[in-house]
C-alpha cells in the first residue's frame, strides 16, 4: 500500500495510471498548498519515464478547426468535472454573449474538461504547431493563480506555466500557445488548476473559451488492439449495465446458448486506449438494452465467442452468499466443521482465547471470536473495524435479510449478515481495557510460534499477544461500536446499549489522551501514523448514535479533509457517510459533504468510460478492494441519494471486472467462472492442501503494478498467470495482467477489509436487481 502527503494524494487521483518515480516531496515543505500542488505536478511530470504509444497522424482531416469550449454554454459532447468547488452559468457577469462560466473554488481547486467524442471515436483533435487555447477571465481578487495541464492520449501531460489572473473585477484575455512537444498528438483532456496565495476562497468568471488551430479527425490514429473477448462469466442483472471488452470488430451478437439463436445485434464500440493493456486499444460493447433472462454468449463478426454467462434478476445471489460466508471460514477461536464448511475446508477448535497482555502490563486477557485478518492468523484492529463498518453499512443501506446462508447462527431470526457482524464486534469489545476505555491495537501470533508457510494452522501456533493500547485503535473501535448500536437498536436493544457504552468509554479515553499514542510493544503491523481521521470517524459515529452536540461540534470544527478513498488508516469518508445519516447535523456541513461525494462519484463515472474494462480502482496492493472502496465511498451514495443510475452502473461495472471482464479473462472470486481463482496466499488452507484448494467466496488483492520484489510463489513451478510462459514476469507485462494465481501475497492474498467492501457492493447490486424483478 502507498502512503502520501495530502497534496500528493490529489496528484495520484488525477494521474494514477502513470508509472513514475516520485522523489521530490522533501523539497517543497514550506510552500503554500497551491504552490505545493503545482510544484508537485511539475516535478511529477519531469520525473516520469513512460513508454508512450506510438501514434501516426492520419491523412486528411479538417484544418484549421476552431473548437468553442464555452460561449454562454458548454459545447455538446464535452464533459466537465470540478473538484473543490462549483461551476454555474452566470448571466449577471459576462464579457460577451449572455452569460459567463463562473467557478467558485476553494484554496486549491480545478476543472477537468474531457472531450466527449473519445467515447465514440468520432471527435478527435490533434495539436498542430500553432494550436492555442484562449479565454477571458475575471477574478474576484488579485491573489489567484492558475496553471493549465494539457493531456495527450498517449498518457503524457504538458504543464503550461503558472500565471496570475490579473486585476480583481477586471476582464483579462489569455491566448496560450500549446507546447511544440504536443504537436501532432491527439488530445485527451485539459485540466485547469486554481489556487489562492492566502488559502482563501475565490471566484473566477470565464468567457469565450476556445481551442483554435487544431486538426479534426474521425479516428485516433494507429494503435494496437487487445485480442479476444472479455465478459462477466457470472452474468448480468436484467436491467443493469452490460458491457464486454474485445478486439476490434464490426458487429457483435448476443447468442442464446440453448439453441445458438441470435437474440441481439450491435455495432457500437467505445474505443479505449490505455497503458494498462500495453498502450493498446479495447473495443467496448454495451448491450444494456437487452434484458431477456437466459444463458448466452457473445459472438463477434469474425466468429470469436466469449464464455457463457447468465442474464437475470438473481444473478448476484450466489456470489453474495459466498462473499458473506467467506467470513465464517475466517473465524478465529472456533472450529470450522461440516455441515457449515460445505466442503473439505475444515479445522478443529483450539482454545487460544487467553492472550498475553503487553509486557508493560503483564498477565493475560480473554479475547474471543474475531476473524483472521488475511492469509495469516493474526487480527488487526484497523482492518477489523474497517470490515465491520462495511458489513454494518451493507445491512443499513440495503437490508439483505437472508437467514439461511448455512452458518451456525442461521435460522435464529436474525439476518446472517448481522450474525457475522456481531462475531466481529464481540472481538472488538474484548479488545477494550474496561478500566480506562482504551483499545489494544492488534492481536498477533506469538513470536515464538512455529509459522512456516504450508505448515501453519490454527492448531500449530502457540497463542497470541496484544500490542499496547493506541488512540487510533480506540477511535476506530469506538466509531464502529457506535455505528453498530444504531444497527442493533431494534433487533437487540441490550446489545445496542452495551456497544454504545463501550464506544462512549472509548471517546472518554481519547479526550483524556489528546496526543497520539502509537504502537510501542509487540507487533507494529498496521501502525496508523496519524489518528486524526479515526478521531473524526468516531465523532461522526457517536453523533449519529447519541445526537449529543459535543460530537457535532467536533465534526464541524475538526474535519481533516478527505483527499482519498477510505482505507484502514483514513476513515474520513466513512465519517462523512455517517454524518450525512444524522438528522440533526449541521445543514451547511452536510450540503458541503453531499457536493463533495457527488462530484467524486462523477469523477469515478468518467474514469469508468476511460478504462478498457471500466475499472476505477488503483493498481497497488489490494487493487480490487480499492475499486469497491471508491464506488462505496462515492458512487453508491450518489445512486442512493441522488438516484443517479450511472453511479450504480459504475459500481456494477466493478463486479463485471472482478467476474471476468479483465485482460486475463479471469474471475477474481473463488468458486465461480470457467476460468477462476484456484489458489491463494492463505496459511491454513495451504497446510490443509484440500481439493479444491480454495473455499468459495475468496477475493484476492488483484493486479499490482509494483508487487513486492521479495514475493515468490509456493511451490515455484505451480502454474500462475504472471510468471508463466504466457505472461513473462517483467516490466513488459501489461499492468492489468500483473497477477499471479499462485500463493502470491502481493496479488492473491485475501483480506477481510476488501471482502467486506465486496459484500457492500454486491448488496447494492442485488437490491437493485431484486427491486426491478
Amino acid at each position: 500500500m502507498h502512503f502520501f502527503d495530502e497534496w500528493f494524494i490529489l496528484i495520484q487521483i488525477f494521474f494514477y495510471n502513470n508509472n513514475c518515480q516520485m522523489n521530490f516531496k522533501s523539497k517543497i515543505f514550506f510552500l503554500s498548498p497551491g504552490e505545493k500542488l503545482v510544484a508537485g505536478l511539475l516535478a511529477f511530470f519531469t520525473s516520469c519515464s513512460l513508454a508512450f504509444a506510438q501514434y501516426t497522424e492520419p491523412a486528411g482531416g479538417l484544418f484549421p478547426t476552431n473548437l468553442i469550449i464555452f460561449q454562454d454554454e458548454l459545447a455538446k459532447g464535452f464533459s466537465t468535472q470540478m473538484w473543490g468547488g462549483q461551476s454555474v452559468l452566470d448571466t449577471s457577469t459576462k464579457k460577451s454573449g449572455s452569460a459567463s462560466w463562473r467557478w467558485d473554488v476553494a484554496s486549491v481547486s480545478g476543472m477537468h474538461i474531457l472531450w466527449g467524442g473519445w467515447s465514440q471515436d468520432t471527435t478527435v483533435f490533434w495539436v498542430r504547431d500553432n494550436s492555442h487555447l484562449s479565454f477571458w477571465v475575471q477574478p474576484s481578487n488579485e491573489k489567484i493563480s492558475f496553471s493549465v495541464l494539457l493531456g495527450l492520449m498517449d498518457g503524457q501531460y504538458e504543464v503550461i506555466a503558472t500565471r496570475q489572473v490579473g486585476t480583481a473585477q477586471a476582464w483579462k484575455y489569455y491566448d496560450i500557445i500549446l507546447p511544440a512537444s504536443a504537436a501532432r498528438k491527439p488530445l485527451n483532456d485539459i485540466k485547469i488548476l486554481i489556487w489562492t496565495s492566502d488559502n482563501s476562497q475565490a471566484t473566477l468568471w470565464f468567457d469565450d473559451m476556445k481551442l483554435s488551430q487544431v486538426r479534426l479527425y474521425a479516428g485516433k490514429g494507429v494503435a494496437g488492439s487487445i485480442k479476444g473477448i472479455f465478459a462477466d462469466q457470472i452474468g448480468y442483472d436484467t436491467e443493469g449495465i452490460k458491457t464486454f471488452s474485445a478486439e476490434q470488430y464490426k458487429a457483435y451478437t448476443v447468442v442464446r446458448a440453448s439453441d445458438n439463436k441470435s437474440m441481439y445485434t450491435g455495432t457500437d464500440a467505445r474505443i479505449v486506449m490505455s497503458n494498462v493493456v500495453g498502450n493498446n486499444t479495447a473495443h467496448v460493447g454495451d448491450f444494456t438494452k437487452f434484458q431477456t433472462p437466459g444463458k448466452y454468449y457473445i459472438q463477434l463478426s469474425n466468429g470469436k465467442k466469449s464464455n457463457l454467462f447468465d442474464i437475470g434478476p438473481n444473478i448476484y445471489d450466489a456470489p453474495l452468499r459466498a462473499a458473506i460466508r467467506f467470513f465464517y471460514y475466517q473465524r478465529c477461536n472456533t472450529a470450522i466443521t461440516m455441515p457449515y464448511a460445505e466442503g473439505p475446508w475444515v479445522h478443529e477448535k483450539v482454545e487460544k482465547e487467553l492472550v498475553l497482555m503487553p509486557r508493560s502490563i503483564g498477565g493475560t486477557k480473554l479475547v474471543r471470536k474475531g476473524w483472521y485478518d488475511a492469509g495469516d492468523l493474526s487480527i488487526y484492529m484497523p482492518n477489523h473495524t474497517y470490515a465491520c463498518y462495511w458489513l454494518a453499512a451493507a445491512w443499513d443501506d440495503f437490508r439483505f435479510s437472508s437467514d439461511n446462508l448455512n452458518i451456525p447462527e442461521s435460522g435464529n431470526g436474525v439476518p446472517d449478515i448481522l450474525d457475522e457482524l456481531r462475531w466481529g464486534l464481540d472481538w472488538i469489545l474484548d479488545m477494550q481495557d474496561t478500566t480506562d476505555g482504551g483499545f489494544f491495537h492488534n492481536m498477533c501470533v506469538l513470536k515464538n510460534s512455529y509459522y512456516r508457510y504450508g505448515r501453519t494452522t490454527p492448531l500449530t501456533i502457540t497463542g497470541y499477544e496484544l500490542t499496547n493500547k493506541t488512540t487510533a485503535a480506540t477511535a476506530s473501535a469506538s466509531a464502529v461500536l457506535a455505528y453498530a448500536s444504531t444497527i442493533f437498536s431494534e433487533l437487540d436493544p441490550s446489545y445496542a446499549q452495551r456497544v454504545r457504552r463501550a464506544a462512549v468509554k472509548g471517546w472518554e479515553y481519547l479526550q483524556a489522551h489528546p496526543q497520539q499514542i502509537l504502537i510501542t510493544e509487540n507487533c507494529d503491523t498496521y501502525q496508523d501514523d496519524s489518528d486524526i481521521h479515526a478521531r473524526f470517524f468516531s465523532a461522526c459515529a457517536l453523533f449519529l448514535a447519541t445526537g449529543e452536540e459535543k460530537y457535532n461540534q467536533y465534526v464541524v470544527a475538526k474535519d481533516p479533509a478527505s483527499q482519498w478513498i477510505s482505507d484502514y488508516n483514513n476513515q474520513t469518508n466513512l465519517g462523512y457517510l455517517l454524518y450525512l445519516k444524522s438528522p440533526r447535523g449541521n445543514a451547511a456541513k452536510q450540503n458541503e459533504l453531499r457536493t463533495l461525494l457527488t462530484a467524486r462519484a462523477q469523477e469515478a463515472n468518467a474514469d469508468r468510460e476511460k478504462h478498457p474494462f471500466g475499472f476505477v480502482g488503483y493498481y497497488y496492493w489490494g487493487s480490487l478492494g480499492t475499486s469497491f472502496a471508491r464506488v462505496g465511498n462515492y458512487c453508491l451514495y450518489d445512486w442512493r441519494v441522488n438516484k443517479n443510475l450511472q453511479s450504480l452502473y459504475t459500481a456494477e461495472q466493478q463486479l463485471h471486472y472482478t467476474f471476468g471482464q479483465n485482460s486475463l479473462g479471469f474471475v477474481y472470486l473463488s468458486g465461480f467462472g470457467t476460468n477462476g481463482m484456484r489458489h491463494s496466499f492463505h496459511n491454513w488452507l495451504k497446510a490443509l492442501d484440500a481439493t479444491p484448494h480454495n473455499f468459495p467466496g475468496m477475493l484476492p488483492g488483484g493486479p499490482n503494478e509494483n508487487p513486492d520484489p521479495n514475493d515468490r510463489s509456493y511451490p515455484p513451478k505451480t502454474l500462475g498467470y504472471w510468471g508463466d510462459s504466457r505472461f513473462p514476469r517483467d516490466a513488459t507485462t501489461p499492468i492489468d495482467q500483473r497477477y499471479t494465481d499462485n500463493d502470491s501475497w502481493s496479488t492473491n492474498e485475501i483480506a477481510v477489509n476488501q471482502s467486506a467492501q465486496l459484500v457492500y457492493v454486491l448488496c447494492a447490486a442485488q437490491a437493485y436487481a431484486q427491486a426491478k424483478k
Side-chain angles (χ1 to χ4, degrees):
M1 187 170 290
H2 297 287
F3 304 92
F4 307 91
D5 287 346
E6 291 184 1
W7 65 267
F8 185 75
I9 289 172
L10 284 169
I11 302 171
Q12 183 75 357
I13 291 172
F14 301 158
F15 311 113
Y16 67 89
N17 276 338
N18 289 329
N19 180 17
C20 303
Q21 300 300 317
M22 306 152 194
N23 303 311
F24 48 85
K25 179 170 60 174
S26 62
K27 300 178 181 179
I28 59 173
F29 283 162
F30 303 105
L31 303 180
S32 70
E35 290 169 330
K36 284 183 180 180
L37 180 58
V38 174
L41 287 168
L42 291 170
F44 179 79
F45 291 113
T46 56
S47 66
C48 290
S49 177
L50 299 174
F52 298 129
Q54 298 299 313
Y55 280 97
T56 301
E57 185 176 2
L62 301 177
F63 178 78
T65 298
N66 297 331
L67 178 67
I68 298 175
I69 299 174
F70 175 81
Q71 197 172 72
D72 293 344
E73 62 181 13
L74 294 182
K76 185 179 180 181
F78 286 85
S79 169
T80 61
Q81 302 169 37
M82 191 129 189
W83 53 86
Q86 301 181 32
S87 65
V88 295
L89 296 181
D90 189 344
T91 57
S92 64
T93 303
K94 50 190 176 289
K95 175 61 179 177
S96 60
S98 60
S100 66
W101 187 8
R102 191 181 80 213
W103 294 9
D104 298 314
V105 302
S107 59
V108 179
S109 186
M111 174 64 74
H112 175 191
I113 305 169
L114 176 70
W115 315 136
W118 278 108
S119 62
Q120 285 80 38
D121 194 33
T122 57
T123 309
V124 180
F125 302 95
W126 287 63
V127 179
R128 305 297 290 183
D129 294 330
N130 62 340
S131 298
H132 54 106
L133 174 70
S134 63
F135 49 84
W136 288 88
V137 63
Q138 175 180 299
S140 61
N141 63 66
E142 298 178 358
K143 298 179 179 180
I144 307 173
S145 301
F146 74 89
S147 184
V148 178
L149 304 177
L150 182 70
L152 306 174
M153 195 56 194
D154 59 11
Q156 185 177 6
Y157 273 82
E158 297 289 347
V159 181
I160 300 175
T162 300
R163 300 165 187 261
Q164 300 292 323
V165 294
T167 305
Q169 309 303 327
W171 286 102
K172 184 174 181 179
Y173 181 68
Y174 288 92
D175 191 359
I176 301 172
I177 303 297
L178 301 188
S181 56
R184 289 174 175 77
K185 293 180 181 178
L187 285 174
N188 182 49
D189 58 25
I190 291 174
K191 290 180 172 71
I192 301 177
L193 305 178
I194 303 164
W195 67 97
T196 55
S197 60
D198 61 354
N199 297 329
S200 63
Q201 293 188 340
T203 300
L204 295 93
W205 292 265
F206 286 85
D207 212 340
D208 198 21
M209 184 175 287
K210 295 179 182 178
L211 185 65
S212 304
Q213 298 290 314
V214 292
R215 188 181 288 272
L216 169 65
Y217 291 92
K220 294 177 184 166
V222 178
S225 174
I226 64 172
K227 301 299 180 183
I229 309 173
F230 307 94
D232 188 321
Q233 295 175 35
I234 295 177
Y236 303 85
D237 166 38
T238 307
E239 297 194 19
I241 188 174
K242 305 177 189 70
T243 67
F244 68 93
S245 305
E247 62 190 63
Q248 185 175 0
Y249 59 82
K250 293 181 180 179
Y252 66 89
T253 303
V254 179
V255 183
R256 189 165 58 197
S258 60
D259 57 5
N260 295 318
K261 180 180 179 181
S262 297
M263 301 295 293
Y264 179 89
T265 299
T267 58
D268 59 285
R270 175 168 53 86
I271 302 176
V272 181
M273 196 288 296
S274 175
N275 68 323
V276 304
V277 288
N279 290 318
N280 289 314
T281 61
H283 288 57
V284 182
D286 189 326
F287 58 107
T288 302
K289 294 179 180 179
F290 180 67
Q291 299 181 350
T292 304
K295 187 177 289 293
Y296 302 93
Y297 61 88
I298 294 167
Q299 183 168 339
L300 301 184
S301 50
N302 63 9
K304 290 191 176 181
K305 300 178 182 179
S306 74
N307 289 312
L308 295 177
F309 56 83
D310 290 308
I311 295 177
N314 301 317
I315 197 66
Y316 295 117
D317 292 1
L320 176 55
R321 179 184 189 272
I324 295 175
R325 281 179 46 78
F326 160 86
F327 288 87
Y328 167 71
Y329 296 105
Q330 290 293 111
R331 287 185 179 187
C332 182
N333 278 318
T334 189
I336 304 301
T337 60
M338 293 293 284
Y340 311 112
E342 297 184 356
W345 313 285
V346 298
H347 65 71
E348 298 176 11
K349 179 180 179 180
V350 177
E351 299 291 344
K352 294 185 173 67
E353 296 174 344
L354 279 178
V355 302
L356 290 180
M357 296 280 275
R359 291 183 296 275
S360 59
I361 299 176
T364 60
K365 180 174 175 54
L366 183 66
V367 182
R368 296 155 293 185
K369 300 184 179 181
W371 309 295
Y372 302 125
D373 173 70
D376 62 342
L377 297 175
S378 293
I379 309 180
Y380 312 112
M381 185 67 78
N383 272 15
H384 199 84
T385 52
Y386 190 73
C388 285
Y389 169 85
W390 286 111
L391 293 183
W395 163 258
D396 195 18
D397 293 341
F398 307 116
R399 289 298 194 269
F400 179 66
S401 58
S402 175
D403 188 26
N404 62 354
L405 300 185
N406 194 29
I407 62 174
E409 297 83 1
S410 293
N412 64 357
V414 176
D416 282 350
I417 191 172
L418 294 183
D419 285 322
E420 200 59 66
L421 170 63
R422 187 162 178 166
W423 185 275
L425 295 171
D426 285 349
W427 178 85
I428 297 174
L429 287 170
D430 279 356
M431 287 288 283
Q432 185 174 37
D433 182 346
T434 56
T435 61
D436 61 7
F439 286 80
F440 298 96
H441 199 98
N442 292 327
M443 186 178 88
C444 297
V445 174
L446 286 170
K447 294 182 178 65
N448 63 357
S449 286
Y450 178 78
Y451 214 113
R452 181 180 176 187
Y453 188 73
R455 297 291 186 271
T456 301
T457 74
L459 285 71
T460 61
I461 62 173
T462 55
Y464 290 96
E465 60 186 355
L466 299 180
T467 66
N468 57 289
K469 292 170 287 187
T470 69
T471 50
T474 300
S476 60
S478 297
V480 168
L481 293 174
Y483 184 29
S485 73
T486 69
I487 302 295
F488 287 95
S489 59
E490 295 183 7
L491 290 167
D492 190 339
S494 62
Y495 187 72
Q497 292 176 6
R498 180 188 173 195
V499 294
R500 186 183 297 112
R501 285 195 301 268
V504 171
K505 188 74 172 176
W507 181 262
E508 292 171 355
Y509 179 89
L510 295 174
Q511 298 306 105
H513 300 85
Q515 300 299 317
Q516 180 169 8
I517 300 174
L518 294 169
I519 302 174
T520 57
E521 295 186 68
N522 301 332
C523 62
D524 62 356
T525 308
Y526 292 106
Q527 176 83 274
D528 190 345
D529 293 330
S530 174
D531 65 4
I532 60 172
H533 307 282
R535 288 177 185 262
F536 178 80
F537 180 31
S538 183
C540 291
L542 281 161
F543 180 57
L544 175 65
T546 69
E548 293 184 21
E549 183 60 23
K550 64 181 179 181
Y551 303 118
N552 188 35
Q553 291 177 5
Y554 187 99
V555 171
V556 175
K558 297 190 176 182
D559 182 352
S562 163
Q563 306 288 3
W564 194 236
I565 57 173
S566 64
D567 56 34
Y568 74 89
N569 69 345
N570 188 345
Q571 308 93 340
T572 303
N573 287 324
L574 308 187
Y576 290 167
L577 292 169
L578 294 185
Y579 189 71
L580 287 168
K581 292 176 181 286
S582 301
R584 297 163 63 180
N586 179 278
K589 183 64 177 178
Q590 289 183 328
N591 286 335
E592 172 194 333
L593 298 182
R594 290 189 192 98
T595 299
L596 173 66
L597 298 185
T598 300
R600 291 191 177 171
Q602 293 171 352
E603 291 173 9
N605 295 343
D607 283 349
R608 182 190 88 208
E609 295 292 302
K610 293 184 287 184
H611 192 281
F613 308 106
F615 183 64
V616 300
Y618 306 97
Y619 288 100
Y620 55 70
W621 198 313
S623 58
L624 296 174
T626 69
S627 75
F628 296 126
R630 192 176 182 194
V631 297
N633 287 184
Y634 309 127
C635 296
L636 290 174
Y637 172 83
D638 186 38
W639 170 59
R640 288 190 301 107
V641 174
N642 302 321
K643 312 304 180 185
N644 184 354
L645 194 59
Q646 290 302 315
S647 287
L648 173 69
Y649 284 173
T650 298
E652 287 186 324
Q653 189 62 42
Q654 307 321 296
L655 297 174
H656 298 329
Y657 177 89
T658 302
F659 298 160
Q661 190 181 349
N662 52 68
S663 62
L664 295 175
F666 187 81
V667 180
Y668 290 110
L669 186 68
S670 62
F672 293 86
T674 58
N675 181 32
M677 183 182 176
R678 298 159 297 182
H679 291 273
S680 62
F681 184 89
H682 192 284
N683 271 272
W684 72 260
L685 283 184
K686 184 65 177 180
L688 184 65
D689 196 23
T691 301
H693 183 275
N694 292 345
F695 54 78
M698 301 174 72
L699 180 75
N704 186 345
E705 182 175 4
N706 297 299
D708 191 320
N710 296 314
D711 191 1
R712 62 188 182 91
S713 297
Y714 298 87
K717 293 183 179 180
T718 301
L719 178 66
Y721 277 108
W722 189 27
D724 70 19
S725 59
R726 295 171 297 163
F727 303 105
R729 187 171 179 167
D730 57 37
T732 65
T733 304
I735 294 171
D736 197 64
Q737 294 177 356
R738 296 182 184 180
Y739 170 81
T740 303
D741 191 44
N742 186 18
D743 302 88
S744 160
W745 71 74
S746 289
T747 63
N748 85 336
E749 185 175 11
I750 52 87
V752 292
N753 56 320
Q754 61 199 30
S755 287
Q757 293 165 332
L758 170 64
V759 168
Y760 183 79
V761 177
L762 279 169
C763 281
Q766 198 258 7
Y768 176 73
Q770 294 298 308
K772 295 294 182 178
K773 288 179 68 172

